[in-house]
Amino acid sequence: MFEKCFLFPEIHSKKDMNSLKSLRYSSIREALTHQNPTKSSFLCPLYFYNQRRWLKPVDSAQTRLENRTRDHQLDKIIPQIRKLNIILEISKLMSSKKRGPFVSLQLMSRWKNLVGLNVNVGAFIGKYPHAFEIFTHPFSKNLCCKITEKFKVLIDEEENVVRECEVDAVKRVKKLLLLSKHGVLRVHALRLIRKELGLPEDFRDSILAKYSSEFRLVDLETLELVDRDDESLCVAKVEEWREVEYREKWLSKFETNYAFPIHLPTGFKIEKGFREELKNWQRVPYVKPYDRKEISRGLERFEKRVVAVIHELLSLTVEKMVEVERLAHFRKDLGIEVNVREVILKHPGIFYVSTKGSSQTLFLREAYSKGCLIEPNPIYNVRRKMLDLVLLKTRYSRMLLQREDETHREEKSRDVLISSNEDWEGGRDGDWVLPILGK
């Protein structure tokens, strides 16, 4: 009798019934939310601890992003490029001022939010003496700043190289229009990746309006391709790699016709069955980016076509990288209306997503080796020179100050000579003749 009462206590009232129901609901809630089990000592020992139920781990884009294998060499590039972009933005603001080639530090302190800095502008400028020169104004005696001659030469060189590579920029825009479903792109989307495509700042007037025989503006924000029958441009970059693999490695067409170059990161954990899945995926046929066939409705083939379109878009950029958020502006026009980030993270051997900085940046893995482009171009080379100058920071700054002192002395001595020549009246045969003997 005692055992029966202990194991199954009698419920004497409605209040006891409600307490039992609330205990059951709380145990289910705790199991779903992975909370610690609660003790219920007022009931029998069977309910002393609630059962914990484990849910199946979630496999989403966010979990793949958190658990991916990091590439530290590519991660280092992002903060370096961000610093360079801030310096270029400051130089752009300085050049817009009409007072002269220099700006006071007091005025520059107001640009903190404009250029996206979380520190004082003066402290940031002091770290890069090879890009900025700080001096005391001779009359107002306040601290002023100007761009160094070396950095100014590189800025002008980049503008000149972009102008010289105008034909290549037109080719990139045409290939992007050929990638689109209807030969139409939005100008706003092109403006977002203007720098990545190597387009000048005034590309609307200098490129789009100039080459009206190649493409035309339907309205203010829509660009349309004039001729879609140019088959010479309808060859993807990956096709060149496939041709080399087929010719040099003696692989069959079945193995290379739909394959992609795979470069897994160092430290990547190859799980059981991964190689077989990758081998089967490489053989899956798909509608190639420039083909105007009906796109297959199969999920695997459609996703592989999306991979091919993103691969080609990255191949068209100057530095083979672009921000993931800016890809979203091409989803509708390029026919990649899927979760782009999820597709990218499924293929760590083709793409790499870096989360350094305030945004996510997508890299084409095959294009980089040890943090540098394998096949550099003129625009990349100039930008790399600017980046190398920025990365020097305060190194060799003593030599820089010595050169500045020497230039100031030369200018001062030149001014003294000019003033002495202006004071002297009369002629002389040569500079070796003393003025007093020439009278």
Side-chain angles (χ1 to χ4, degrees):
M1 185 69 181
F2 177 77
E3 184 179 301
K4 182 179 179 181
C5 292
F6 186 77
L7 291 176
F8 302 98
E10 294 181 3
I11 299 172
H12 297 285
S13 64
K14 191 175 182 181
K15 186 177 181 181
D16 295 337
M17 188 71 179
N18 292 335
S19 64
L20 186 61
K21 285 182 179 180
S22 63
L23 176 65
R24 185 176 62 184
Y25 294 148
S26 64
S27 64
I28 294 171
R29 194 185 307 114
E30 288 170 3
L32 292 174
T33 56
H34 297 285
Q35 292 180 357
N36 293 326
T38 57
K39 294 183 180 180
S40 53
S41 58
F42 64 92
L43 287 174
C44 62
L46 294 176
Y47 293 96
F48 193 78
Y49 282 97
N50 296 329
Q51 184 181 4
R52 179 181 291 180
R53 299 182 182 180
W54 296 100
L55 298 177
K56 187 179 178 180
V58 179
D59 184 21
S60 63
Q62 186 62 31
T63 55
R64 285 201 191 103
L65 187 65
E66 293 170 357
N67 300 329
R68 76 191 189 284
T69 305
R70 305 294 177 92
D71 192 327
H72 299 290
Q73 292 180 338
L74 294 180
D75 281 336
K76 285 179 183 177
I77 298 174
I78 302 302
Q80 294 171 358
I81 291 177
R82 182 178 179 273
K83 291 171 185 175
L84 176 60
N85 290 336
I86 291 172
I87 291 172
L88 291 173
E89 190 65 28
I90 292 173
S91 66
K92 186 178 177 182
L93 289 171
M94 291 175 70
S95 62
S96 64
K97 299 296 176 182
K98 297 179 180 179
R99 291 185 179 180
F102 59 89
V103 181
S104 66
L105 288 181
Q106 186 178 2
L107 177 61
M108 294 179 71
S109 62
R110 304 173 190 173
W111 298 348
K112 178 180 175 180
N113 295 328
L114 289 175
V115 297
L117 275 175
N118 53 3
V119 295
N120 191 11
V121 177
F124 178 81
I125 286 171
K127 294 179 181 178
Y128 304 100
H130 294 276
F132 299 105
E133 181 184 346
I134 300 173
F135 63 96
T136 305
H137 196 275
F139 299 110
S140 59
K141 302 300 180 183
N142 59 342
L143 287 175
C144 296
C145 177
K146 66 178 182 179
I147 304 292
T148 58
E149 288 296 326
K150 195 171 183 180
F151 198 77
K152 196 183 296 182
V153 167
L154 290 176
I155 292 174
D156 296 338
E157 186 181 349
E158 184 192 10
E159 292 179 0
N160 295 331
V161 169
V162 168
R163 297 291 179 187
E164 290 171 2
C165 299
E166 191 176 280
V167 178
D168 294 333
V170 172
K171 184 179 176 182
R172 292 188 195 104
V173 175
K174 283 185 68 177
K175 293 196 75 159
L176 266 180
L177 286 165
L178 287 167
L179 270 179
S180 62
K181 290 193 295 185
H182 307 292
V184 174
L185 284 176
R186 286 174 292 171
V187 179
H188 174 67
L190 286 176
R191 193 179 294 114
L192 288 174
I193 61 168
R194 173 193 66 80
K195 198 170 181 180
E196 286 81 352
L197 292 175
L199 295 171
E201 197 169 352
D202 59 339
F203 74 96
R204 191 186 185 97
D205 299 322
S206 61
I207 300 290
L208 303 185
K210 184 178 178 181
Y211 293 89
S212 57
S213 60
E214 306 290 345
F215 26 71
R216 62 171 176 265
L217 286 167
V218 179
D219 51 39
L220 292 175
E221 285 296 322
T222 307
L223 183 67
E224 185 181 15
L225 189 65
V226 174
D227 184 16
R228 295 199 70 182
D229 297 327
D230 192 354
E231 296 183 358
S232 62
L233 296 177
C234 296
V235 180
K237 183 69 176 177
V238 72
E239 296 293 339
E240 299 177 7
W241 174 83
R242 289 168 183 167
E243 185 65 29
V244 172
E245 291 288 303
Y246 174 72
R247 188 176 63 252
E248 295 183 358
K249 295 189 178 180
W250 294 76
L251 296 175
S252 64
K253 283 283 186 181
F254 177 70
E255 296 286 341
T256 61
N257 202 19
Y258 299 102
F260 285 86
I262 304 295
H263 298 271
L264 294 170
T266 305
F268 182 81
K269 186 179 179 182
I270 298 176
E271 297 179 354
K272 185 178 180 181
F274 174 79
R275 295 181 186 276
E276 190 66 27
E277 289 179 6
L278 180 62
K279 190 175 181 180
N280 293 333
W281 183 85
Q282 291 277 55
R283 296 171 178 174
V284 171
Y286 66 96
V287 179
K288 296 185 178 180
Y290 294 106
D291 291 348
R292 299 176 200 169
K293 300 176 183 177
E294 186 179 354
I295 300 172
S296 175
R297 295 183 180 180
L299 180 61
E300 192 174 20
R301 295 187 179 189
F302 181 75
E303 284 192 354
K304 192 166 183 179
R305 187 185 184 277
V306 171
V307 170
V309 171
I310 297 172
H311 184 281
E312 182 64 13
L313 192 148
L314 285 172
S315 301
L316 293 175
T317 58
V318 173
E319 298 175 280
K320 314 305 178 193
M321 63 178 180
V322 71
E323 289 186 12
V324 177
E325 293 178 0
R326 296 180 181 180
L327 279 178
H329 295 270
F330 291 90
R331 289 176 61 199
K332 188 175 180 181
D333 294 331
L334 299 183
I336 51 175
E337 298 179 27
V338 293
N339 189 341
V340 176
R341 192 175 64 167
E342 188 173 351
V343 173
I344 288 166
L345 291 169
K346 282 183 181 178
H347 305 281
I350 303 173
F351 308 112
Y352 178 70
V353 179
S354 176
T355 54
K356 290 288 184 179
S358 58
S359 60
Q360 297 175 4
T361 308
L362 178 64
F363 287 88
L364 187 61
R365 199 177 272 285
E366 68 193 67
Y368 279 86
S369 176
K370 298 180 180 179
C372 297
L373 271 185
I374 298 173
E375 298 178 1
N377 50 72
I379 300 176
Y380 171 81
N381 288 334
V382 178
R383 290 176 182 173
R384 188 70 198 184
K385 287 179 188 176
M386 286 195 286
L387 187 61
D388 291 340
L389 198 64
V390 168
L391 293 177
L392 284 176
K393 290 189 176 181
T394 56
R395 284 175 287 183
Y396 307 109
S397 57
R398 188 177 297 176
M399 296 171 62
L400 192 67
L401 290 172
Q402 289 176 359
R403 290 174 187 172
E404 289 176 1
D405 291 339
E406 289 175 1
T407 53
H408 288 315
R409 287 172 192 166
E410 288 176 1
E411 289 175 359
K412 194 173 182 181
S413 60
R414 196 182 301 115
D415 293 339
V416 170
L417 285 172
I418 291 170
S419 61
S420 64
N421 291 338
E422 289 175 353
D423 293 338
W424 165 249
E425 293 180 0
R428 61 173 184 258
D429 295 333
D431 291 336
W432 57 275
V433 181
L434 291 175
I436 195 170
L437 299 176
K439 287 185 178 180

